[in-house]
Amino acid sequence: MTKIDAKYIFVTLKRGFAVIQSLPGFKDILPNETRKWQFVENICRDIFESFAYQEIRVPILEKAQLFSRSVGNDTDIVQKEMYTFKDKSDQFVTLRPEGTACVVRALIQHHLIHEGMHKFYYIAPMFRYERPQRGRFREFHHLGVEAFGESSPYVDAEIMEMNAEILKRLNMDVRVEINNIGCRKCRPSYTKVLREYLMGKKELLCEDCQRRLDTNPLRILDCKKESCKKITAFAPSILDYSCDECRNHFNEVQRLLTKMNIDFVVNEKIVRGLDYYTKFVFEVISDKLGAQGTVSAGGRYNDLVEDLGGSPTPACGFAAGEERVIELFDYKEDDKFVDAVVIPVGKDTSDFSFLLTGDLRKEGFKVEFISSGSLKSALRKANKWKAKWVLIIGDEEIKENTVSLRDLEKSVQKKVRVEDIISVIRQGLDE
Ligand code: ATP
Ligand code: MG
């Protein structure tokens, strides 16, 4: 008989019903992986909070126009990737593809700056209808921060310092690429030159980029197609068209990065996949992730708050893709999730064992109570869960006010008086 690997059975038939599978690009994060996720999230939380960022939680669903007005009508995200649909009251809503626009909406709606809140972080799922592949999912998670109200390069430097700190704490080998994409004053002159340069090569560009030539030529620099990349490789540099203000800002950020010993290279082709950026932008890239090499990205967006109806407020932020961070970060898996297992074996020992389990939990131990089955199967479970301690309680133990305490790591077992259990577990059993 041919052996069929369960992995390749996409839809299994069971009692005549198709077993429902998750959607393509949507992943379950199972208990043997969540520990790694928690580890990464705790490190990021620690770092964000040490830089005085506060957590914000915004809705997953927003009005569709929030993203077309901020991310930009001509971006891949808005053109192709958004989960947009009409809800039951006939309004277009979108599963958020990114967090910045949502945080800006909340900032304006709740007058957060007046309330003394100006630096935010979030660890949250995002949704984009992309082709699922390594490092690219339809539901993925951003570890993101947004800082409002400061145009000083120290904020940009702080954003980079947080990135460097995350990379250091997770021991990841990456490179940092930065660029200056100018502002509304200086960018139009570059856009004009870029359009003129690309006009002569229009027929060599992909269909999307041919359209972008009219609507938003800068987007062409972000095209992932090799044929377009070949053409843009020799395009004029945006850095040559920068105004003094943008150039000074960029120089200052570079000076601070050097002072902080953060290595970087300037890549004048980085424009980011979203329209709202101004001045400083960056990407943190790994060579170990295949085609999806960008782990973290962000920059300044000085006009977005005003564009979404708020008062002019400079801002800067970034988001790291948690799935890509998780893939890069080498975590020593520890599948131990209980310290002790309590097993009642006598006729009338369950209530006592159950209450003792509660006492141990209150002392901070992770404890599982096994309420049924044989001693043999309970011990098998304790081994599988890598518990150090097993507490076996039979009729005899109840009579003697003791517990048979077994150390599974050292393979020793002793009877211990009930009142001594906690201190013995803390100190260890004598052999
Ligand atoms: P890419 O060029 O890889 O499409 P992007 O420019 O669309 O990235 P951003 O919108 O800046 O990405 O999001 C920041 C980070 O979020 C990316 O650098 C990446 O790590 C992660 N990310 C973006 N899209 C996805 C996705 N579909 N699946 C997993 N991670 C993603
Ligand atoms: Mg993308």
Side-chain angles (χ1 to χ4, degrees):
M1 211 175 84
T2 342
K3 195 166 168 253
I4 303 171
D5 189 332
K7 254 195 329 206
Y8 298 111
I9 307 175
F10 197 61
V11 174
T12 327
L13 286 174
K14 206 175 176 186
R15 287 192 223 107
F17 296 108
V19 173
I20 297 170
Q21 307 272 327
S22 57
L23 293 165
F26 287 72
K27 274 200 325 173
D28 296 310
I29 304 164
L30 301 176
N32 60 353
E33 301 163 281
T34 45
R35 208 179 287 255
K36 186 171 177 180
W37 285 69
Q38 286 167 2
F39 188 87
V40 167
E41 287 166 12
N42 289 341
I43 283 183
C44 290
R45 235 173 243 287
D46 258 17
I47 294 171
F48 298 157
E49 289 183 6
S50 73
F51 281 78
Y53 285 73
Q54 293 177 284
E55 186 177 8
I56 186 165
R57 298 187 186 198
V58 288
I60 284 176
L61 204 61
E62 296 272 4
K63 288 184 182 166
Q65 63 187 30
L66 174 63
F67 302 106
S68 46
R69 267 177 62 185
S70 55
V71 173
N73 256 327
D74 212 49
T75 58
D76 274 354
I77 296 180
V78 171
Q79 286 274 323
K80 305 177 189 165
E81 300 170 1
M82 292 210 306
Y83 277 90
T84 298
F85 53 93
K86 263 189 183 174
D87 69 6
K88 289 192 194 327
S89 61
D90 257 4
Q91 77 169 331
F92 282 106
V93 290
T94 299
L95 285 178
R96 62 175 179 217
E98 60 110 40
T100 307
C102 313
V103 176
V104 171
R105 191 224 9 92
L107 180 96
I108 300 168
Q109 184 174 333
H110 305 288
H111 312 286
L112 293 180
I113 291 199
H114 294 291
E115 300 290 328
M117 289 174 255
H118 67 293
K119 284 163 81 176
F120 309 94
Y121 78 86
Y122 47 88
I123 300 175
M126 306 294 159
F127 303 85
R128 295 183 193 175
Y129 194 84
E130 299 196 72
R131 189 168 69 79
Q133 54 197 288
R134 182 179 175 200
R136 201 175 281 296
F137 307 95
R138 289 180 175 171
E139 180 187 28
F140 61 97
H141 297 76
H142 268 167
L143 302 150
V145 310
E146 318 290 347
F148 297 96
E150 268 291 347
S151 50
S152 126
Y154 284 98
V155 178
D156 312 47
E158 180 179 282
I159 295 276
M160 299 313 288
E161 197 182 1
M162 279 192 288
N163 267 277
E165 198 55 32
I166 294 173
L167 304 169
K168 193 174 95 196
R169 297 263 299 265
L170 297 176
N171 200 16
M172 297 195 309
D173 183 21
V174 290
R175 65 177 191 279
V176 175
E177 297 190 354
I178 65 172
N179 195 18
N180 166 18
I181 60 163
C183 64
R184 282 189 180 153
K185 274 186 284 159
C186 59
R187 207 185 302 153
S189 56
Y190 175 68
T191 309
K192 187 164 169 277
V193 173
L194 182 66
R195 182 181 281 127
E196 280 161 11
Y197 171 83
L198 292 171
M199 261 317 184
K201 302 165 174 55
K202 187 171 176 178
E203 61 292 351
L204 300 172
L205 295 170
C206 72
E207 216 176 285
D208 281 341
C209 286
Q210 291 194 10
R211 181 177 39 78
R212 288 169 181 147
L213 207 45
D214 293 324
T215 53
N216 194 343
L218 208 63
R219 288 264 63 78
I220 300 173
L221 298 181
D222 194 47
C223 183
K224 304 280 188 298
K225 298 209 176 71
E226 279 309 317
S227 50
C228 293
K229 277 190 190 166
K230 266 189 203 147
I231 293 162
T232 52
F234 301 101
S237 166
I238 196 164
L239 295 175
D240 295 334
Y241 295 84
S242 178
C243 62
D244 287 346
E245 190 192 312
C246 291
R247 184 173 299 121
N248 289 341
H249 182 87
F250 192 48
N251 288 343
E252 276 301 283
V253 177
Q254 292 183 71
R255 186 182 65 80
L256 291 170
L257 292 179
T258 308
K259 271 210 154 162
M260 292 187 296
N261 292 322
I262 296 176
D263 292 335
F264 63 88
V265 288
V266 175
N267 175 354
E268 69 232 339
K269 294 287 159 4
I270 289 185
V271 289
R272 309 291 309 112
L274 306 91
D275 276 355
Y276 51 62
Y277 286 110
T278 53
K279 293 186 160 72
F280 176 68
V281 289
F282 76 93
E283 291 191 9
V284 174
I285 304 161
S286 161
D287 293 326
K288 294 193 185 132
L289 289 172
Q292 271 53 253
T294 307
V295 186
S296 169
R300 213 160 241 295
Y301 48 97
N302 285 349
D303 303 320
L304 184 59
V305 180
E306 193 178 1
D307 289 352
L308 286 177
S311 39
T313 309
C316 194
F318 83 90
E322 195 169 1
E323 282 72 7
R324 296 185 194 176
V325 172
I326 295 274
E327 188 180 340
L328 268 185
F329 159 55
D330 186 17
Y331 179 71
K332 301 281 166 288
E333 204 54 69
D334 172 13
D335 48 6
K336 180 181 166 71
F337 71 96
V338 286
D339 302 311
V341 171
V342 178
I343 312 172
V345 291
K347 223 169 53 223
D348 211 11
T349 55
S350 293
D351 285 6
F352 177 84
S353 306
F354 182 65
L355 294 177
L356 181 66
T357 306
D359 291 343
L360 291 171
R361 287 171 179 160
K362 281 181 207 117
E363 288 296 319
F365 298 110
K366 294 176 192 154
V367 194
E368 178 62 320
F369 171 66
I370 299 191
S371 60
S372 64
S374 67
L375 175 62
K376 200 168 154 203
S377 85
L379 286 172
R380 226 184 354 251
K381 284 181 190 158
N383 269 310
K384 196 167 178 181
W385 298 337
K386 305 217 168 74
K388 177 170 168 65
W389 300 104
V390 170
L391 289 79
I392 303 166
I393 301 155
D395 296 329
E396 200 179 293
E397 280 86 355
I398 297 267
K399 244 186 268 158
E400 298 167 356
N401 196 33
T402 62
V403 165
S404 289
L405 183 67
R406 186 180 297 185
D407 181 333
L408 287 182
E409 286 167 10
K410 293 186 184 156
S411 293
V412 281
Q413 179 169 327
K414 271 191 186 162
K415 277 197 177 157
V416 175
R417 295 192 60 74
V418 169
E419 54 271 30
D420 297 333
I421 286 284
I422 287 161
S423 61
V424 173
I425 287 184
R426 287 225 168 92
Q427 284 156 24
L429 264 183
D430 304 328
E431 284 170 54

